[in-house]
Amino acid sequence: MSKFIKPRKVVLVLAGPHSGRKAVIVKNIDNGNSDHPNSHALVAGIDHYPYKMTAAMGKKRIAKKSFLKVYNYSHLMCTKYSMAIPLDKTGVNKDVCRDPDLKCEGWREAKV
């Protein structure tokens, strides 16, 4: 299963509060570690898709909201699509998910 799940691959989230949303794999961990014993991936995606824009709308209403979360492989469905944009792993990594202040910065990095 790990040969399909690679960084910059587009996935669909199947479970949790972001189920049905599209996301991109930032980093995959095939063997697990002390925090998560099973294989998992750090994904960044769009939680709130932007509305259709009109002239009367402000920037806040048009803005998209992103999420950054660690998911087990069984909760992700891989698609055939991948992103050609290089991801900056220094601003978006697994340690960002632990600290609330860094998490906001990680969300901003994921939007770009």
Side-chain angles (χ1 to χ4, degrees):
M1 185 160 169
S2 63
K3 67 179 181 178
F4 297 111
I5 298 180
K6 297 176 183 175
R8 293 186 288 176
K9 208 62 160 153
V10 177
V11 294
L12 293 173
V13 179
L14 299 176
H18 306 293
S19 63
R21 301 292 182 184
K22 295 173 193 76
V24 177
I25 294 178
V26 177
K27 185 178 180 184
N28 61 333
I29 295 97
D30 291 329
N31 298 328
N33 57 16
S34 60
D35 295 339
H36 299 278
N38 299 326
S39 54
H40 56 281
L42 176 68
V43 298
I46 298 176
D47 183 31
H48 179 75
Y49 297 115
Y51 291 103
K52 183 178 179 182
M53 295 191 316
T54 62
M57 287 185 179
K59 289 183 179 180
K60 187 175 182 181
R61 181 136 173 115
I62 297 169
K64 58 186 179 237
K65 185 178 174 187
S66 62
F67 68 90
L68 188 67
K69 194 162 178 169
V70 176
Y71 277 105
N72 193 340
Y73 281 174
S74 62
H75 300 297
L76 299 174
M77 185 171 74
C78 196
T79 62
K80 66 179 182 178
Y81 302 104
S82 62
M83 288 182 48
I85 301 169
L87 295 171
D88 183 23
K89 293 183 183 178
T90 57
V92 181
N93 56 22
K94 199 170 173 184
D95 297 331
V96 169
C97 293
R98 294 186 182 129
D99 188 21
D101 295 331
L102 292 175
K103 199 169 198 177
C104 292
E105 293 177 17
W107 287 335
R108 289 188 199 108
E109 291 284 330
K111 280 185 186 180
V112 177

